[in-house]
Amino acid sequence: MKFIIDAHLDLSMNAMEWHRDLRHAASYIRKSEAGLKDFPDRVTTTASFPAMRKGNIGICVARLIARPVKPNNPLPVSNPHVQSWPPTQAQLRWYR
């Protein structure tokens, strides 16, 4: 059986920062986010464990993501650089 390798997923960030339960179908996650405006990409999730299984993802190279941002950036992410470390450690723990 052939499978797909996905090498660009932010699974832990979606779970930790966006409070998405990736055990649910992506459609369920999107529906549960209806009306939320705390993040610019709400209601657009495409990744979940059931979706990955359905898409025949055999290997996932997921990543840790946290980044400082420029002043006045609307994204709620870490700033300054020193604050980028703790979110990545929480995400790593989630994977483990």
Side-chain angles (χ1 to χ4, degrees), residues 11-40:
L11 298 174
S12 63
M13 185 197 72
N14 277 270
M16 299 293 297
E17 294 183 29
W18 294 49
H19 307 289
R20 288 176 168 164
D21 186 343
L22 301 178
R23 297 172 294 178
H24 293 290
S27 59
Y28 175 87
I29 296 169
R30 287 191 296 269
K31 193 178 291 187
S32 72
E33 293 180 351
L36 296 179
K37 302 198 183 307
D38 54 343
F39 294 99

Side-chain angles (χ1 to χ4, degrees), residues 60-87:
C60 170
V61 180
R63 64 182 183 162
L64 306 176
I65 183 169
R67 60 191 171 265
V69 296
K70 295 178 183 177
N72 302 319
N73 187 316
L75 292 174
V77 294
S78 303
N79 189 15
H81 293 278
V82 74
Q83 290 179 308
S84 294
W85 179 252

Side-chain angles (χ1 to χ4, degrees), residues 52-66:
M52 292 170 69
R53 280 191 288 277
K54 185 176 180 181
N56 209 29
I57 303 294
I59 295 174
C60 170
V61 180
R63 64 182 183 162
L64 306 176
I65 183 169

